[in-house]
Amino acid sequence: MTNASPPTPILEARNLHKRYQSRSGGETIALRDVNLSIYEGDTLGIVGESGSGKSTLARILLALDAPSGGEVLYRDQVISGLKERNLRDFRQHVQMVFQDPMSSLDPRMRVHDLIAEPLRSLKLVTDEHSQVAELLESVGLPTSAARRYPHQFSGGQRQRIAIARALGTHPETLMADEPVSALDVSVRAQILNLLTGLVRDFNLTLLFISHDMAVVRHLCNRIIVMRQGEVVESGLARDIYEHPQHPYTRELLAAAPRIRPKPKPSASTGRIVH
Ligand code: ADP
């Protein structure tokens, strides 16, 4: 009999610490001893109120910032030690969608070039025109969008462009940092539905950051709750939603807007019944 070896996490954080020094000499501890593992096919939600360290953690997991202590491993290799080829592989396979597409998309570039840019820089262009068209289609935008500029779109459409740009390199992992919190409530659900479909169709591993437990519930099967730079609770989403252990998790759940069923039109009058 052979023992199957345990799966290797795609990304792993070990004992991450992050300190920020302010000009006045003060210090903020943004992360304290954070450990997590992300496996293929995971949909992991990181929740916590503003300032709890979620974005700092995402930036460090993406190698956009260095930890003050601890390390991040990408498929068992320490990220800070990745050689150029492996770093390129990492950049291709782990992509990010930010909260505000207006600041993450260069306003002077046409949508075609915004989507084609990562393909060009990672030398993944085969037929640029049809690659861009296909990506636009996969996020529900018409191919004519390619000729326009980001400011010509609504907030939700801009987030679709940012998602198309992130998907172009065929990532295995998508990180999304508050991708719907700048959007109107009505648009939020559309983008969450889009992400749910893409995770399924593209077999994506998802790391989804939000201050809102109601939003995370739509998408994630595992959850990590952060407070003041520390992980206070983690586990399966359904366990955490049904039996939250930490008082802070219970507070977050109480603050999350209830998801109410849509009001149904009355059969006799056609009026909305609440
Ligand atoms: P969240 O994403 O949960 O809102 P952040 O990771 O942005 O939290 O911030 C965690 C803490 O680190 C906060 O106290 C924030 O003020 C501080 N912080 C974040 N980035 C910086 C920075 N570049 N310089 C100084 N302090 C920072």
Side-chain angles (χ1 to χ4, degrees):
M1 232 170 73
T2 54
N3 276 334
S5 51
T8 307
I10 295 180
L11 272 174
E12 194 179 353
R14 288 190 188 158
N15 311 108
L16 287 185
H17 283 263
K18 182 67 181 178
R19 262 189 325 271
Y20 288 114
Q21 221 83 39
S22 68
R23 284 219 184 95
S24 57
E27 198 177 71
T28 302
I29 309 284
L31 296 179
R32 299 164 204 260
D33 200 23
V34 171
N35 292 279
L36 62 85
S37 301
I38 302 166
Y39 294 92
E40 218 169 296
D42 259 349
T43 46
L44 178 68
I46 298 185
V47 291
E49 64 196 341
S50 173
S52 56
K54 306 180 299 295
S55 298
T56 301
L57 176 59
R59 291 179 57 76
I60 292 174
L61 288 174
L62 277 168
L64 297 174
D65 202 352
S68 318
E71 58 191 14
V72 175
L73 288 90
Y74 169 60
R75 296 199 174 280
D76 257 357
Q77 288 183 293
V78 179
I79 285 192
S80 57
L82 288 182
K83 300 276 179 294
E84 201 180 318
R85 208 177 112 239
N86 292 338
L87 195 61
R88 236 189 13 242
D89 180 63
F90 174 73
R91 294 270 174 245
Q92 177 180 342
H93 289 114
V94 184
Q95 286 283 343
M96 183 82 185
V97 174
F98 294 95
Q99 173 177 349
D100 178 10
M102 217 35 196
S103 55
S104 65
L105 301 174
D106 186 337
R108 294 159 306 180
M109 285 169 75
R110 286 182 200 273
V111 167
H112 176 94
D113 294 312
L114 284 166
I115 294 178
E117 189 187 45
L119 301 173
R120 293 175 192 153
S121 70
L122 289 161
K123 301 193 177 12
L124 298 169
V125 174
T126 48
D127 174 350
E128 196 172 286
H129 189 76
S130 54
Q131 281 170 292
V132 170
E134 219 170 276
L135 286 162
L136 284 169
E137 193 186 325
S138 67
V139 297
L141 289 173
T143 47
S144 59
R147 294 193 295 275
R148 296 160 71 191
Y149 291 91
H151 74 267
Q152 297 177 286
F153 295 89
S154 68
Q157 288 169 328
R158 279 198 291 270
Q159 200 55 296
R160 287 176 192 266
I161 296 166
I163 294 169
R165 179 177 150 95
L167 288 179
T169 64
H170 293 292
E172 61 198 2
T173 303
L174 190 68
M175 283 197 213
D177 188 356
E178 302 271 12
V180 298
S181 54
L183 303 176
D184 289 347
V185 175
S186 59
V187 182
R188 239 177 245 184
Q190 293 168 17
I191 298 295
L192 289 175
N193 287 341
L194 173 69
L195 282 170
T196 307
L198 293 170
V199 164
R200 188 190 53 226
D201 297 346
F202 288 74
N203 249 335
L204 292 170
T205 299
L206 180 73
L207 197 144
F208 189 95
I209 292 173
S210 179
H211 65 282
D212 184 345
M213 290 206 60
V215 164
V216 174
R217 184 171 209 164
H218 276 286
L219 281 163
C220 299
N221 56 19
R222 272 209 304 142
I223 287 181
I224 284 178
V225 182
M226 289 190 66
R227 178 174 178 249
Q228 295 174 2
E230 282 179 297
V231 175
V232 296
E233 185 162 358
S234 65
L236 290 177
R238 63 164 187 274
D239 293 343
I240 290 185
Y241 282 101
E242 280 165 29
H243 308 289
Q245 299 298 307
H246 197 282
Y248 178 69
T249 312
R250 291 199 278 271
E251 267 175 50
L252 284 180
L253 274 171
R258 295 270 144 92
I259 299 167
R260 293 207 197 120
K262 281 197 187 128
K264 287 196 185 114
S266 146
S268 56
T269 64
R271 282 209 313 266
I272 301 288
V273 179
H274 290 275

